[in-house]
Amino acid sequence: MLERPAFQRGLALLFVPLILIISWLALSPKPPQQMSLGWDKLNHLCAFGSLCLLGSLAWPRRQFALLLALLAYGGAIELLQTLVPGRSGEWPDLLADALGLLLGSLATWALRRLLRPSPSKAN
């Protein structure tokens, strides 16, 4: 199932609105409180974990490039936040992004392992 091109294309299509929503939340001067998990670092961890899981399943052969691109995206957000009134760029946020990428990678690995076809048993 995970290797089906139609499934991967569907995930790739979901990746685009997710990254747009995360960008909007990260670069808004005052994001809606209803969209927060209650702790900024947890917001970063979950956002980047979700991006990693979705992206890794959509582009399984490009996982390393995806991880580098998402880490660069996290760094760009932190730099851009220094230009947004009421926001600030912080190294701990980038660390939370990186930990989210690690957890997303582990979740991807576990999901692939769980859903891989079992070898046929010879009688």
Side-chain angles (χ1 to χ4, degrees):
M1 175 176 125
L2 296 178
E3 299 302 320
R4 291 184 183 160
F7 180 73
Q8 292 173 346
R9 278 192 303 273
L11 293 176
L13 288 174
L14 291 174
F15 186 86
V16 173
L18 181 59
I19 207 158
L20 291 174
I21 291 167
I22 290 169
S23 297
W24 174 71
L25 290 169
L27 299 174
S28 294
K30 191 171 182 183
Q33 286 299 318
Q34 301 89 334
M35 299 293 288
S36 177
L37 297 172
W39 185 41
D40 180 53
K41 305 309 177 253
L42 185 58
N43 293 339
H44 284 263
L45 188 90
C46 290
F48 279 78
S50 299
L51 285 170
C52 181
L53 178 62
L54 196 58
S56 294
L57 293 174
W59 301 288
R61 289 166 190 78
R62 296 191 171 106
Q63 187 161 1
F64 185 72
L66 175 76
L67 291 173
L68 287 178
L70 287 174
L71 190 58
Y73 166 68
I77 284 175
E78 294 309 313
L79 289 173
L80 290 171
Q81 280 183 337
T82 64
L83 305 173
V84 178
R87 303 299 292 263
S88 62
E90 300 176 2
W91 284 107
D93 287 349
L94 189 58
L95 177 60
D97 297 345
L99 290 174
L101 294 175
L102 176 63
L103 290 176
S105 294
L106 290 172
T108 302
W109 174 82
L111 191 60
R112 283 191 180 126
R113 191 162 164 88
L114 183 68
L115 295 179
R116 78 173 165 211
S118 59
S120 300
K121 294 184 179 181
N123 291 345

